[in-house]
Amino acid sequence: MTLIVAVQMDPLAGINIAGDSTFALMLSAQARGHRLFHYTADALNWSGGKLWAEAHPVTVQRVEGHHFRFDAPVSLDLGDEADVVLMRQDPPFDLGYITATHLLERIADRTLVVNDPASVRNAPEKVFVLDYARFMPPTLVTRSLDEARAFLAEHREIVVKPLHGNGGKAIFKVGADGANLSALMEVFNQTWREPHMIQAFVPDVAKGDKRIVLVDGKVAGAINRLPGEGEIRSNLAVGGSAERTELTETEREICAALGPELKRRGLLFVGIDVIGGKWLTEINVTSPTGIVAIERFDGTDVAGLIWDAIEAKVKSNRS
């Protein structure tokens, strides 16, 4: 089966090919004989029921600085000419991102979009996870300084982060004395119109923040991400390091609880974050990462598992 795969992502020139999950997916697709096209989300056009983008046919290789080659751009009808659209642009999860999901939703009855655009729109990382609050550390969503102060008084140490942030950006720890909490809430309220997420600080974050990847609702692999010196953030994008890991019994329970719902929603490639073997903090559905590190540490071809699932879905849709 040869598929036409349109990859909606950020510019290829700026990616880190050593760890980029989208690039790994493109390499895997190309090795299977699928034809790849690249475009950015701002290239989407709609008229008269047709959705298209100016897209470049692309070939990729794992050679730093020469990792892709574009052919002349074409007007690619995403509904009638593409078999699969990989929606892989990085957040922010802003109106541009949301609009792209609305546009892609209009072709989802003809073209497999991974992840399902309506489900991505309805499952932002730090909001969808509230459905599984029983697995989360104590959490408050608010814009109120008074509520934040009361939460700090109860839990002694807290973490404040944007509700729609990504990549470990703008995550702050506030100690028991509450120093700078009012200033921090003031900055957050001026910067973002939505509420913010405040959680009880989990000291076990020093031992790592586990990224578990699920493919079509089933565990495909995991890595433990360790924070750098002087950091509470373990995201690889902000200097964290990775190590091999195994799942705890509670983590398996979390995955078993999430898996059927992820599959039902068409969230085929998902990365969840768990601290201390038991505290679920995020369900990443927009542009999950981690598959390169998983393969490096335990040899699991997660990209291949993702393409197995995609190919099975395309075949099922055609029959």
Side-chain angles (χ1 to χ4, degrees), residues 14-32:
I15 66 171
N16 172 18
I17 67 170
D20 191 274
S21 291
T22 307
F23 188 72
L25 287 170
M26 294 173 74
L27 284 170
S28 183
Q30 183 176 272
R32 291 173 178 235

Side-chain angles (χ1 to χ4, degrees), residues 261-278:
E261 183 64 12
L262 299 179
K263 185 178 179 70
R264 186 188 72 80
R265 291 185 181 222
L267 296 170
L268 188 145
F269 176 15
V270 173
I272 68 171
D273 296 338
V274 181
I275 295 174
K278 61 180 180 179

Side-chain angles (χ1 to χ4, degrees), residues 210-212 214 254-255 258 270-274 280 282-283:
K210 197 170 295 185
R211 164 57 55 89
I212 306 170
L214 295 97
I254 292 170
C255 292
L258 268 62
V270 173
I272 68 171
D273 296 338
V274 181
L280 176 67
E282 291 189 19
I283 304 173

Side-chain angles (χ1 to χ4, degrees), residues 202-270:
V202 179
D204 278 347
V205 72
K207 301 176 184 177
D209 178 0
K210 197 170 295 185
R211 164 57 55 89
I212 306 170
V213 170
L214 295 97
V215 175
D216 207 20
K218 297 181 180 179
V219 174
I223 53 168
N224 192 41
R225 301 173 300 179
L226 298 167
E229 185 175 355
E231 273 281 4
I232 62 167
R233 303 175 299 171
S234 55
N235 307 69
L236 302 184
V238 293
S241 59
E243 66 179 8
R244 191 178 187 279
T245 191
E246 301 288 343
L247 299 193
T248 66
E249 182 177 343
T250 301
E251 287 166 342
R252 294 189 183 279
E253 181 185 352
I254 292 170
C255 292
L258 268 62
E261 183 64 12
L262 299 179
K263 185 178 179 70
R264 186 188 72 80
R265 291 185 181 222
L267 296 170
L268 188 145
F269 176 15
V270 173

Side-chain angles (χ1 to χ4, degrees), residues 3-311:
L3 301 178
I4 304 299
V5 179
V7 185
Q8 176 177 301
M9 64 178 293
D10 300 316
L12 271 168
I15 66 171
N16 172 18
I17 67 170
D20 191 274
S21 291
T22 307
F23 188 72
L25 287 170
M26 294 173 74
L27 284 170
S28 183
Q30 183 176 272
R32 291 173 178 235
H34 303 323
R35 294 179 58 197
L36 297 172
F37 292 80
H38 173 277
Y39 71 94
T40 54
D42 58 5
L44 289 170
N45 308 278
W46 181 93
S47 181
K50 175 182 174 181
L51 181 68
W52 73 97
E54 183 177 274
H56 289 268
V58 61
T59 55
V60 289
Q61 60 180 356
R62 197 174 288 284
V63 179
E64 187 67 53
H66 302 281
H67 54 280
F68 72 97
R69 187 186 75 245
F70 280 160
D71 290 334
V74 299
S75 179
L76 183 67
D77 187 323
L78 298 175
D80 290 337
E81 295 176 338
D83 298 300
V84 179
V85 172
L86 295 183
M87 187 170 62
R88 292 287 304 173
Q89 78 270 24
D90 287 338
F93 192 74
D94 55 12
L95 282 174
Y97 207 113
I98 291 170
T99 300
T101 69
H102 280 295
L103 292 173
L104 289 171
E105 188 179 2
R106 281 156 170 74
I107 63 164
D109 60 335
R110 291 169 285 160
T111 301
L112 178 65
V113 183
V114 179
N115 286 319
D116 178 84
S119 292
V120 167
R121 185 173 66 246
N122 292 330
E125 338 288 44
K126 297 182 184 68
V127 179
F128 180 27
V129 71
L130 301 179
D131 288 355
Y132 301 92
R134 65 190 185 276
F135 297 120
M136 297 177 68
T139 297
L140 170 69
V141 178
T142 189
R143 290 177 62 86
S144 166
L145 175 59
D146 288 342
E147 295 293 346
R149 282 174 168 160
F151 191 80
L152 174 62
E154 180 181 0
H155 297 288
R156 307 301 296 165
E157 291 183 305
I158 61 174
V159 172
V160 183
K161 51 190 173 182
L163 196 63
H164 297 299
N166 70 293
K169 301 181 185 72
I171 296 177
F172 294 88
K173 179 185 174 186
V174 178
D177 62 0
N180 294 321
L181 178 59
S182 60
L184 184 60
M185 289 296 290
E186 179 181 330
V187 169
F188 269 50
N189 284 343
Q190 290 176 351
T191 305
W192 294 285
R193 296 182 63 185
E194 65 269 15
H196 325 299
M197 177 168 276
I198 302 176
Q199 292 182 316
F201 175 68
V202 179
D204 278 347
V205 72
K207 301 176 184 177
D209 178 0
K210 197 170 295 185
R211 164 57 55 89
I212 306 170
V213 170
L214 295 97
V215 175
D216 207 20
K218 297 181 180 179
V219 174
I223 53 168
N224 192 41
R225 301 173 300 179
L226 298 167
E229 185 175 355
E231 273 281 4
I232 62 167
R233 303 175 299 171
S234 55
N235 307 69
L236 302 184
V238 293
S241 59
E243 66 179 8
R244 191 178 187 279
T245 191
E246 301 288 343
L247 299 193
T248 66
E249 182 177 343
T250 301
E251 287 166 342
R252 294 189 183 279
E253 181 185 352
I254 292 170
C255 292
L258 268 62
E261 183 64 12
L262 299 179
K263 185 178 179 70
R264 186 188 72 80
R265 291 185 181 222
L267 296 170
L268 188 145
F269 176 15
V270 173
I272 68 171
D273 296 338
V274 181
I275 295 174
K278 61 180 180 179
W279 298 114
L280 176 67
T281 58
E282 291 189 19
I283 304 173
N284 296 273
V285 304
T286 50
S287 184
T289 61
I291 66 175
V292 176
I294 290 172
E295 181 172 4
R296 182 184 310 131
F297 285 105
D298 67 16
T300 302
D301 180 11
V302 181
L305 294 175
I306 292 169
W307 281 110
D308 286 345
I310 289 173
E311 290 167 2

